[in-house]
Amino acid sequence: MGDWIADGLEQSWNSDTAIQFRRDIVAGRFPDNFCKACYNNGTPTSLRKLILKPLVANWQIVKKYDLKNLPPLSRIQDLFNEKELTDDGRKILESYGKAIVTLQGQTGDRPEEFRLAVEKLRVIGEIVEDFLAGEVRPRNVAPLRETNLIAVCNARCVQCPGKYNGVIEHGVEMPDGTFLTEMESENIDKSFARSESIIDFFTNGSELLMLKSWEQVARRLKEVGSSLRMSTNGMLLTEQNVRKLIDNQYIDKLNMSLDAATPELLESIRVRVKFDRIVRNIKFLYEYIEQESYPLSTSFTFCLMKRNYADLPLFVGLIQELLAGRNVPMPNIMVQPLALKGHPDYREFVSKEHHTLINRDELVEKFHALQRKSRESRIPVYVFFKHTIDEFIEKGCPLPSFTFVERREVEEELDGIA
């Protein structure tokens, strides 16, 4: 799409390639092979999944000060599954806009969190309108951001593409032959360009809590009306870091990648991660969430592979053990497939571990056992980014296929477009 560090985020957002990408989507075409593979694998996401969390988070803030304008704001959900802007949709957006204008008139005598929440709700309305109208130059620049802030990692997980290209060991190779282990401060600043557009910011990277400036990043997100959303292997969820995250109200969503339910299997998959230590860390996390009555949304990732599929139902039991019966927001479990792009050595790994190599009947039985454990524990389970476990079972377990996409395929396609 462009080099946002060299040329600026807005220029990349409105580059010729980005505009053509959106035109293809509006026309119902796959803009590149990554999109085609994602769709064919049954793993595309949705507008609802992307927008609902920031929508609800900002509702909750507005709700503390104003209840009258919540009904017209809530109706925007009716548009999340639509593909174009209808007359009814325009009426919903018009009502939504009027509610926003009313709330904007109240910001003068309300706390800063109220003003920021109203502004984020305004942005959400514009995102939905531009999406349904097929706008190829959306008004809000990169409202859902994901920035790779750190490359190196304290683990050596067998399914990590960065393990195979060496990035998690020595960082990203730069044009001058040097290696960069984490994003430089001036480039982190650039990632906050047009911050009024941000409604969600995933602080990606191998292990964010290794970033020397993670607290400054979290503080800055809070100042622009967003919150820290991060994923971790759990090793650095120390008592000190947990207290910083919660006491400062930096974080609103935390994912913990575990991939197995037993010590031996977990430590063989997530090499350098110690089972006893992450159990201790996560138990303290839930203890502190309960103590502070902090509304933290948590989730656990299980990357499905040939070597770990038998642990699927056991994984629910592990999460129950970590919760220890505490009165905290219920976490969910996300079963995800292996990534289908990366280094040739990673491709060789996937060709040996992809879930399509597992006997289908045996794998389906594990999913049925997972469903039973989910119902018993009341821990929600989501499968392959888009299904609840019940939907997945009802649809006959639609397992994503193995369609590996190489970077050169996309580069060739983009050369053709140019």
Side-chain angles (χ1 to χ4, degrees), residues 53 88 174 376 403 413-414:
K53 183 68 170 62
D88 285 344
M174 306 305 289
E376 290 170 10
T403 308
E413 187 169 303
L414 293 178

Side-chain angles (χ1 to χ4, degrees), residues 176-373:
D176 62 0
T178 61
F179 291 89
L180 192 67
T181 58
E182 61 182 56
M183 188 177 285
E184 296 161 321
S185 59
E186 60 266 30
N187 292 332
I188 293 178
D189 287 342
K190 291 178 182 179
S191 74
F192 280 91
R194 290 289 302 271
S195 59
E196 73 280 0
S197 292
I198 300 172
I199 63 166
D200 185 76
F201 197 122
F202 180 41
T203 46
N204 195 10
S206 54
E207 184 62 38
L208 180 71
L209 294 174
M210 289 181 67
L211 183 73
K212 292 189 288 289
S213 61
W214 77 260
E215 288 184 75
Q216 293 94 306
V217 171
R219 190 177 305 116
R220 188 160 184 179
L221 280 167
K222 185 177 179 180
E223 289 169 354
V224 301
S226 189
S227 296
L228 190 63
R229 184 164 68 88
M230 59 174 278
S231 185
T232 178
N233 58 41
M235 289 291 284
L236 296 178
L237 278 179
T238 61
E239 291 191 15
Q240 181 183 28
N241 283 336
V242 166
R243 291 179 191 277
K244 285 179 181 178
L245 289 165
I246 292 176
D247 291 350
N248 293 292
Q249 299 184 352
Y250 284 149
I251 190 166
D252 72 351
K253 189 170 185 180
L254 176 66
N255 173 255
M256 291 158 280
S257 301
L258 301 186
D259 304 318
T262 55
E264 298 80 8
L265 185 56
L266 187 145
E267 291 181 5
S268 70
I269 292 173
R270 307 194 73 82
V271 180
R272 296 191 182 180
V273 170
K274 303 302 178 185
F275 185 87
D276 290 344
R277 180 169 169 181
I278 61 169
V279 165
R280 183 170 65 251
N281 287 352
I282 296 172
K283 283 187 173 181
F284 175 77
L285 169 73
Y286 284 123
E287 177 186 340
Y288 201 63
I289 290 172
E290 182 182 52
Q291 176 185 314
E292 300 299 311
S293 301
Y294 191 74
L296 180 62
S297 173
T298 59
S299 59
F300 292 88
T301 301
F302 186 102
C303 183
L304 182 63
M305 294 176 279
K306 187 176 180 180
R307 68 179 66 191
N308 70 349
Y309 78 96
D311 265 20
L312 276 170
L314 300 176
F315 197 68
V316 181
L318 172 61
I319 308 311
Q320 281 185 293
E321 179 189 341
L322 296 173
L323 287 169
R326 296 194 178 279
N327 182 24
V328 296
M330 182 65 76
N332 62 67
I333 294 170
M334 299 183 292
V335 180
Q336 297 180 351
L338 287 164
L340 293 179
K341 56 182 182 289
H343 190 274
D345 290 345
Y346 173 69
R347 179 172 186 156
E348 183 179 350
F349 168 80
V350 175
S351 69
K352 296 176 181 177
E353 288 288 342
H354 197 261
H355 61 260
T356 51
L357 301 172
I358 305 167
N359 177 278
R360 179 178 171 82
D361 290 341
E362 291 180 13
L363 182 54
V364 167
E365 173 51 38
K366 291 300 179 183
F367 275 111
H368 278 274
L370 175 63
Q371 181 190 41
R372 291 192 292 272
K373 293 294 292 183

